[in-house]
Amino acid sequence: MQLVVARIGRAHGIKGEVTVEVRTDEPELRLGPGAVLATEPAGVGPLTIETGRVHSGRLLLRFEGVRDRTAAEALRNTLLIAEVDPEELPEDPEEFYDHQLMDLDVVLADGTEIGRIIEITHLPSQDLFIVERPDGSEVMIPFVEEIVTEIDLAEQRAVITPPPGLIDESQAVIASSRDEEGDGDEAPAAGKDA
């Protein structure tokens, strides 16, 4: 099974290093020296990682055969893809690979069906489940512990306790209003002339 593990960013320096946007919870396993990765677009790869280091909080990689800034910049926006055994599980029992979560049924704690996971979006702050509802509409569920309370791979389901308004917009709670007092037809008061 193939999994996207990173996206190549801009070139760093003049010796062929690139920044990468990591898309795996196990970069030391997937993006270590010697790793051979397929690419998207396929014509760019495969790429073999020669060196890797962290600089200012970003992972920098150098690939075999990429020796200068021009060659490194040519790799920008290329996806790096690792071959993963579908039976392999993450070391942490609280972590999951995307392929394990795809097509899980999403239900409330009382068993009410919400839909099924059709996509997982990885954002800088959190991951999102894109869930297709029985009526064909979609809802986004943040993959955070407070909302996704249980992942049961044996039962092929994700149990959620959504806040009001996440699933049903009619239950949304308005936290504040810009016009709580008055009807909004009044003009703002003018400042004093000096």
Side-chain angles (χ1 to χ4, degrees):
M1 167 175 289
Q2 294 189 321
L3 297 176
V4 174
V5 293
R7 184 181 65 81
I8 298 176
R10 66 178 191 264
H12 179 82
I14 61 171
K15 296 184 179 179
E17 285 185 312
V18 294
T19 62
V20 293
E21 172 191 313
V22 176
R23 295 188 180 177
T24 176
D25 290 334
E26 301 172 316
E28 64 286 340
L29 177 65
R30 308 278 179 228
L31 300 170
V36 178
L37 302 167
T39 60
E40 178 62 44
V44 175
L47 294 173
T48 302
I49 297 174
E50 187 174 282
T51 64
R53 66 185 178 101
V54 176
H55 175 72
S56 298
R58 294 210 65 135
L59 180 60
L60 302 178
L61 297 179
R62 183 180 342 210
F63 300 100
E64 289 181 5
V66 178
R67 294 283 171 238
D68 60 35
R69 185 176 185 88
T70 303
E73 193 61 40
L75 297 175
R76 192 174 194 161
N77 293 321
T78 298
L79 296 177
L80 299 175
I81 303 167
E83 190 67 39
V84 177
D85 180 348
E87 301 301 314
E88 181 181 330
L89 300 175
E91 291 179 12
D92 184 343
E94 296 297 314
E95 291 180 4
F96 303 92
Y97 292 133
D98 287 3
H99 71 272
Q100 294 175 290
L101 302 171
M102 291 298 292
D103 291 323
L104 291 185
D105 293 324
V106 178
V107 298
L108 298 177
D110 67 5
T112 303
E113 179 186 4
I114 300 301
R116 115 189 128 74
I117 299 171
I118 59 169
E119 184 180 337
I120 299 163
T121 302
H122 300 280
L123 302 175
S125 59
Q126 68 191 15
D127 296 336
L128 288 175
F129 291 159
I130 309 301
V131 176
E132 183 177 54
R133 303 190 69 171
D135 66 5
S137 64
E138 293 179 358
V139 63
M140 293 183 284
I141 311 257
F143 186 21
V144 294
E145 193 174 340
E146 296 79 21
I147 296 173
V148 180
T149 58
E150 180 186 355
I151 299 289
D152 186 340
L153 295 178
E155 293 293 322
Q156 287 290 289
R157 67 184 190 147
V159 179
I160 64 169
T161 55
L166 182 65
I167 303 298
D168 184 355
E169 290 180 18
S170 68
Q171 295 177 352
V173 176
I174 298 174
S176 67
S177 176
R178 296 181 77 189
D179 189 28
E180 290 178 354
E181 296 177 21
D183 59 11
D185 293 333
E186 301 168 11
K192 290 185 179 180
D193 289 339

Short mmCIF file of all heavy atoms in Angstrom, two decimals, residues 97-141:
data_model
loop_
_atom_site.label_atom_id
_atom_site.label_comp_id
_atom_site.label_asym_id
_atom_site.label_seq_id
_atom_site.Cartn_x
_atom_site.Cartn_y
_atom_site.Cartn_z
N TYR A 97 -3.14 5.00 10.78
CA TYR A 97 -2.84 5.39 9.42
C TYR A 97 -4.15 5.75 8.73
O TYR A 97 -5.21 5.22 9.06
CB TYR A 97 -2.16 4.24 8.66
CG TYR A 97 -0.77 3.92 9.17
CD1 TYR A 97 -0.38 2.61 9.41
CD2 TYR A 97 0.16 4.93 9.40
CE1 TYR A 97 0.90 2.31 9.85
CE2 TYR A 97 1.44 4.64 9.85
CZ TYR A 97 1.80 3.33 10.08
OH TYR A 97 3.06 3.05 10.52
N ASP A 98 -4.06 6.63 7.73
CA ASP A 98 -5.26 7.06 7.01
C ASP A 98 -6.05 5.87 6.46
O ASP A 98 -7.27 5.85 6.55
CB ASP A 98 -4.90 7.99 5.86
CG ASP A 98 -4.48 9.39 6.31
OD1 ASP A 98 -4.41 9.62 7.54
OD2 ASP A 98 -4.23 10.24 5.45
N HIS A 99 -5.34 4.88 5.89
CA HIS A 99 -6.05 3.76 5.28
C HIS A 99 -6.86 2.96 6.31
O HIS A 99 -7.84 2.32 5.96
CB HIS A 99 -5.10 2.84 4.50
CG HIS A 99 -4.17 2.04 5.35
ND1 HIS A 99 -2.94 2.52 5.76
CD2 HIS A 99 -4.29 0.79 5.87
CE1 HIS A 99 -2.34 1.59 6.49
NE2 HIS A 99 -3.13 0.54 6.58
N GLN A 100 -6.48 3.03 7.59
CA GLN A 100 -7.24 2.32 8.62
C GLN A 100 -8.56 3.05 8.92
O GLN A 100 -9.53 2.43 9.35
CB GLN A 100 -6.44 2.24 9.93
CG GLN A 100 -5.20 1.39 9.84
CD GLN A 100 -4.41 1.47 11.12
OE1 GLN A 100 -3.83 2.50 11.45
NE2 GLN A 100 -4.42 0.37 11.87
N LEU A 101 -8.57 4.36 8.72
CA LEU A 101 -9.73 5.18 9.08
C LEU A 101 -10.71 5.36 7.93
O LEU A 101 -11.89 5.64 8.17
CB LEU A 101 -9.25 6.55 9.56
CG LEU A 101 -8.30 6.53 10.76
CD1 LEU A 101 -7.73 7.92 11.02
CD2 LEU A 101 -9.00 6.00 12.00
N MET A 102 -10.24 5.18 6.71
CA MET A 102 -11.12 5.36 5.55
C MET A 102 -12.27 4.36 5.61
O MET A 102 -12.09 3.20 5.96
CB MET A 102 -10.34 5.18 4.25
CG MET A 102 -9.35 6.29 3.99
SD MET A 102 -10.10 7.91 3.79
CE MET A 102 -10.95 7.67 2.24
N ASP A 103 -13.45 4.83 5.29
CA ASP A 103 -14.68 4.03 5.22
C ASP A 103 -15.23 3.60 6.58
O ASP A 103 -16.16 2.80 6.64
CB ASP A 103 -14.53 2.81 4.32
CG ASP A 103 -14.38 3.20 2.86
OD1 ASP A 103 -15.06 4.17 2.44
OD2 ASP A 103 -13.60 2.56 2.14
N LEU A 104 -14.64 4.09 7.69
CA LEU A 104 -15.24 3.78 8.99
C LEU A 104 -16.60 4.45 9.09
O LEU A 104 -16.80 5.56 8.59
CB LEU A 104 -14.36 4.29 10.15
CG LEU A 104 -13.02 3.62 10.41
CD1 LEU A 104 -12.39 4.19 11.67
CD2 LEU A 104 -13.16 2.11 10.53
N ASP A 105 -17.54 3.76 9.75
CA ASP A 105 -18.84 4.37 10.04
C ASP A 105 -18.64 5.36 11.18
O ASP A 105 -17.94 5.06 12.15
CB ASP A 105 -19.86 3.31 10.46
CG ASP A 105 -20.22 2.38 9.30
OD1 ASP A 105 -20.27 2.86 8.15
OD2 ASP A 105 -20.43 1.18 9.56
N VAL A 106 -19.27 6.51 11.08
CA VAL A 106 -19.21 7.53 12.14
C VAL A 106 -20.55 7.53 12.83
O VAL A 106 -21.60 7.69 12.18
CB VAL A 106 -18.86 8.92 11.56
CG1 VAL A 106 -18.85 9.97 12.65
CG2 VAL A 106 -17.52 8.87 10.83
N VAL A 107 -20.53 7.32 14.16
CA VAL A 107 -21.77 7.24 14.94
C VAL A 107 -21.64 8.07 16.21
O VAL A 107 -20.54 8.34 16.68
CB VAL A 107 -22.11 5.77 15.32
CG1 VAL A 107 -22.34 4.92 14.08
CG2 VAL A 107 -21.02 5.16 16.18
N LEU A 108 -22.79 8.47 16.74
CA LEU A 108 -22.82 9.12 18.05
C LEU A 108 -22.68 8.04 19.12
O LEU A 108 -22.84 6.85 18.86
CB LEU A 108 -24.12 9.89 18.24
CG LEU A 108 -24.39 11.03 17.25
CD1 LEU A 108 -25.76 11.65 17.52
CD2 LEU A 108 -23.29 12.08 17.31
N ALA A 109 -22.46 8.46 20.36
CA ALA A 109 -22.30 7.51 21.47
C ALA A 109 -23.52 6.62 21.63
O ALA A 109 -23.41 5.47 22.04
CB ALA A 109 -22.00 8.26 22.76
N ASP A 110 -24.72 7.13 21.27
CA ASP A 110 -25.94 6.32 21.39
C ASP A 110 -26.18 5.42 20.18
O ASP A 110 -27.19 4.74 20.10
CB ASP A 110 -27.15 7.22 21.65
CG ASP A 110 -27.50 8.12 20.46
OD1 ASP A 110 -26.86 8.00 19.39
OD2 ASP A 110 -28.42 8.96 20.61
N GLY A 111 -25.24 5.44 19.22
CA GLY A 111 -25.35 4.57 18.05
C GLY A 111 -25.98 5.24 16.84
O GLY A 111 -26.04 4.62 15.77
N THR A 112 -26.45 6.47 16.96
CA THR A 112 -27.05 7.18 15.84
C THR A 112 -26.03 7.33 14.72
O THR A 112 -24.92 7.82 14.93
CB THR A 112 -27.54 8.58 16.26
OG1 THR A 112 -28.46 8.43 17.33
CG2 THR A 112 -28.20 9.31 15.11
N GLU A 113 -26.41 6.92 13.51
CA GLU A 113 -25.51 6.97 12.37
C GLU A 113 -25.37 8.40 11.87
O GLU A 113 -26.34 9.11 11.67
CB GLU A 113 -26.04 6.09 11.25
CG GLU A 113 -25.17 6.12 10.02
CD GLU A 113 -25.76 5.37 8.84
OE1 GLU A 113 -26.89 4.86 8.93
OE2 GLU A 113 -25.06 5.31 7.81
N ILE A 114 -24.13 8.82 11.65
CA ILE A 114 -23.84 10.14 11.09
C ILE A 114 -23.42 10.00 9.63
O ILE A 114 -23.82 10.77 8.78
CB ILE A 114 -22.73 10.86 11.88
CG1 ILE A 114 -23.14 11.05 13.34
CG2 ILE A 114 -22.36 12.19 11.24
CD1 ILE A 114 -24.42 11.85 13.53
N GLY A 115 -22.61 8.99 9.32
CA GLY A 115 -22.15 8.77 7.95
C GLY A 115 -20.91 7.90 7.94
O GLY A 115 -20.69 7.11 8.85
N ARG A 116 -20.09 8.08 6.87
CA ARG A 116 -18.87 7.29 6.76
C ARG A 116 -17.75 8.19 6.28
O ARG A 116 -17.95 9.12 5.52
CB ARG A 116 -19.14 6.11 5.87
CG ARG A 116 -18.47 6.00 4.61
CD ARG A 116 -19.00 4.87 3.73
NE ARG A 116 -19.31 5.39 2.43
CZ ARG A 116 -18.39 5.73 1.54
NH1 ARG A 116 -17.12 5.56 1.80
NH2 ARG A 116 -18.74 6.23 0.39
N ILE A 117 -16.53 7.89 6.78
CA ILE A 117 -15.36 8.70 6.44
C ILE A 117 -14.97 8.42 4.99
O ILE A 117 -14.71 7.28 4.62
CB ILE A 117 -14.17 8.38 7.38
CG1 ILE A 117 -14.55 8.71 8.83
CG2 ILE A 117 -12.92 9.15 6.94
CD1 ILE A 117 -13.54 8.25 9.86
N ILE A 118 -14.94 9.49 4.18
CA ILE A 118 -14.56 9.33 2.77
C ILE A 118 -13.22 9.99 2.46
O ILE A 118 -12.64 9.74 1.41
CB ILE A 118 -15.65 9.88 1.82
CG1 ILE A 118 -15.92 11.36 2.08
CG2 ILE A 118 -16.91 9.05 1.93
CD1 ILE A 118 -16.77 12.04 1.02
N GLU A 119 -12.75 10.85 3.38
CA GLU A 119 -11.48 11.53 3.14
C GLU A 119 -10.92 12.01 4.48
O GLU A 119 -11.68 12.29 5.41
CB GLU A 119 -11.70 12.73 2.22
CG GLU A 119 -10.46 13.46 1.81
CD GLU A 119 -10.77 14.65 0.90
OE1 GLU A 119 -11.83 14.66 0.23
OE2 GLU A 119 -9.94 15.57 0.87
N ILE A 120 -9.61 12.13 4.55
CA ILE A 120 -8.96 12.69 5.73
C ILE A 120 -8.08 13.83 5.25
O ILE A 120 -7.24 13.64 4.36
CB ILE A 120 -8.14 11.62 6.49
CG1 ILE A 120 -9.08 10.52 6.94
CG2 ILE A 120 -7.41 12.25 7.67
CD1 ILE A 120 -8.42 9.25 7.32
N THR A 121 -8.31 15.01 5.80
CA THR A 121 -7.55 16.19 5.43
C THR A 121 -6.60 16.53 6.56
O THR A 121 -7.02 16.63 7.71
CB THR A 121 -8.51 17.38 5.15
OG1 THR A 121 -9.41 17.01 4.11
CG2 THR A 121 -7.73 18.61 4.74
N HIS A 122 -5.33 16.72 6.21
CA HIS A 122 -4.32 17.03 7.21
C HIS A 122 -4.03 18.52 7.18
O HIS A 122 -3.51 19.03 6.18
CB HIS A 122 -3.04 16.23 6.95
CG HIS A 122 -3.28 14.75 6.99
ND1 HIS A 122 -3.37 14.05 8.17
CD2 HIS A 122 -3.47 13.85 6.01
CE1 HIS A 122 -3.60 12.78 7.89
NE2 HIS A 122 -3.67 12.64 6.59
N LEU A 123 -4.39 19.21 8.24
CA LEU A 123 -4.15 20.64 8.37
C LEU A 123 -3.03 20.86 9.38
O LEU A 123 -2.74 19.97 10.19
CB LEU A 123 -5.42 21.36 8.83
CG LEU A 123 -6.64 21.18 7.91
CD1 LEU A 123 -7.86 21.83 8.54
CD2 LEU A 123 -6.37 21.77 6.54
N PRO A 124 -2.40 22.03 9.39
CA PRO A 124 -1.31 22.27 10.35
C PRO A 124 -1.74 22.10 11.81
O PRO A 124 -0.99 21.60 12.63
CB PRO A 124 -0.89 23.71 10.07
CG PRO A 124 -1.30 23.95 8.65
CD PRO A 124 -2.54 23.14 8.45
N SER A 125 -2.96 22.51 12.15
CA SER A 125 -3.38 22.48 13.55
C SER A 125 -4.06 21.17 13.94
O SER A 125 -4.03 20.78 15.11
CB SER A 125 -4.31 23.65 13.85
OG SER A 125 -5.45 23.58 13.01
N GLN A 126 -4.70 20.49 13.00
CA GLN A 126 -5.41 19.25 13.31
C GLN A 126 -5.78 18.54 12.01
O GLN A 126 -5.66 19.11 10.94
CB GLN A 126 -6.68 19.53 14.12
CG GLN A 126 -7.72 20.28 13.31
CD GLN A 126 -8.86 20.81 14.15
OE1 GLN A 126 -8.78 20.88 15.35
NE2 GLN A 126 -9.94 21.20 13.51
N ASP A 127 -6.23 17.31 12.14
CA ASP A 127 -6.73 16.57 10.99
C ASP A 127 -8.25 16.64 11.00
O ASP A 127 -8.88 16.81 12.05
CB ASP A 127 -6.29 15.11 11.07
CG ASP A 127 -4.77 14.95 10.99
OD1 ASP A 127 -4.11 15.84 10.43
OD2 ASP A 127 -4.26 13.94 11.50
N LEU A 128 -8.84 16.53 9.81
CA LEU A 128 -10.29 16.55 9.67
C LEU A 128 -10.76 15.29 8.98
O LEU A 128 -10.15 14.85 8.00
CB LEU A 128 -10.74 17.74 8.82
CG LEU A 128 -10.67 19.13 9.38
CD1 LEU A 128 -11.06 20.14 8.31
CD2 LEU A 128 -11.57 19.28 10.59
N PHE A 129 -11.84 14.71 9.48
CA PHE A 129 -12.54 13.65 8.78
C PHE A 129 -13.57 14.33 7.88
O PHE A 129 -14.34 15.16 8.35
CB PHE A 129 -13.30 12.72 9.73
CG PHE A 129 -12.45 11.85 10.60
CD1 PHE A 129 -12.98 11.32 11.76
CD2 PHE A 129 -11.15 11.52 10.27
CE1 PHE A 129 -12.22 10.50 12.57
CE2 PHE A 129 -10.38 10.70 11.08
CZ PHE A 129 -10.92 10.19 12.23
N ILE A 130 -13.60 13.97 6.60
CA ILE A 130 -14.67 14.38 5.72
C ILE A 130 -15.64 13.20 5.71
O ILE A 130 -15.29 12.10 5.30
CB ILE A 130 -14.18 14.70 4.29
CG1 ILE A 130 -13.00 15.66 4.32
CG2 ILE A 130 -15.33 15.23 3.44
CD1 ILE A 130 -13.24 16.99 4.97
N VAL A 131 -16.84 13.45 6.22
CA VAL A 131 -17.82 12.37 6.42
C VAL A 131 -18.99 12.58 5.47
O VAL A 131 -19.59 13.65 5.43
CB VAL A 131 -18.32 12.36 7.88
CG1 VAL A 131 -19.39 11.31 8.09
CG2 VAL A 131 -17.14 12.13 8.83
N GLU A 132 -19.28 11.53 4.69
CA GLU A 132 -20.44 11.57 3.81
C GLU A 132 -21.66 11.08 4.58
O GLU A 132 -21.65 9.98 5.14
CB GLU A 132 -20.22 10.69 2.58
CG GLU A 132 -21.37 10.77 1.58
CD GLU A 132 -21.09 9.95 0.35
OE1 GLU A 132 -20.79 8.74 0.50
OE2 GLU A 132 -21.16 10.51 -0.76
N ARG A 133 -22.68 11.92 4.63
CA ARG A 133 -23.91 11.57 5.35
C ARG A 133 -24.80 10.72 4.47
O ARG A 133 -24.62 10.67 3.24
CB ARG A 133 -24.61 12.85 5.78
CG ARG A 133 -23.64 13.70 6.65
CD ARG A 133 -24.31 14.82 7.27
NE ARG A 133 -25.22 14.28 8.29
CZ ARG A 133 -25.84 15.03 9.17
NH1 ARG A 133 -25.65 16.32 9.19
NH2 ARG A 133 -26.65 14.49 10.04
N PRO A 134 -25.79 10.04 5.04
CA PRO A 134 -26.67 9.18 4.25
C PRO A 134 -27.40 9.92 3.12
O PRO A 134 -27.69 9.33 2.09
CB PRO A 134 -27.67 8.64 5.28
CG PRO A 134 -26.91 8.66 6.56
CD PRO A 134 -26.03 9.88 6.48
N ASP A 135 -27.65 11.23 3.30
CA ASP A 135 -28.33 12.01 2.26
C ASP A 135 -27.38 12.51 1.17
O ASP A 135 -27.79 13.21 0.25
CB ASP A 135 -29.11 13.17 2.87
CG ASP A 135 -28.20 14.23 3.51
OD1 ASP A 135 -26.96 14.13 3.41
OD2 ASP A 135 -28.75 15.18 4.12
N GLY A 136 -26.08 12.16 1.27
CA GLY A 136 -25.11 12.56 0.27
C GLY A 136 -24.36 13.84 0.60
O GLY A 136 -23.37 14.17 -0.05
N SER A 137 -24.82 14.57 1.61
CA SER A 137 -24.11 15.79 2.02
C SER A 137 -22.85 15.39 2.79
O SER A 137 -22.69 14.23 3.19
CB SER A 137 -25.01 16.68 2.87
OG SER A 137 -25.34 16.03 4.09
N GLU A 138 -21.98 16.36 3.00
CA GLU A 138 -20.74 16.08 3.72
C GLU A 138 -20.63 16.98 4.94
O GLU A 138 -21.13 18.10 4.95
CB GLU A 138 -19.52 16.33 2.81
CG GLU A 138 -19.43 15.35 1.67
CD GLU A 138 -18.25 15.61 0.76
OE1 GLU A 138 -17.50 16.58 0.99
OE2 GLU A 138 -18.07 14.83 -0.20
N VAL A 139 -19.96 16.46 5.97
CA VAL A 139 -19.70 17.23 7.18
C VAL A 139 -18.24 16.99 7.56
O VAL A 139 -17.70 15.91 7.33
CB VAL A 139 -20.66 16.84 8.33
CG1 VAL A 139 -20.49 15.39 8.74
CG2 VAL A 139 -20.50 17.75 9.53
N MET A 140 -17.60 18.05 8.07
CA MET A 140 -16.21 17.93 8.50
C MET A 140 -16.16 17.76 10.01
O MET A 140 -16.78 18.53 10.75
CB MET A 140 -15.42 19.18 8.09
CG MET A 140 -15.26 19.30 6.60
SD MET A 140 -14.26 20.72 6.10
CE MET A 140 -15.42 22.03 6.35
N ILE A 141 -15.44 16.74 10.46
CA ILE A 141 -15.31 16.44 11.88
C ILE A 141 -13.84 16.58 12.28
O ILE A 141 -13.01 15.83 11.76
CB ILE A 141 -15.78 15.01 12.19
CG1 ILE A 141 -17.11 14.74 11.56
CG2 ILE A 141 -15.69 14.72 13.68
CD1 ILE A 141 -18.31 14.75 12.40
#
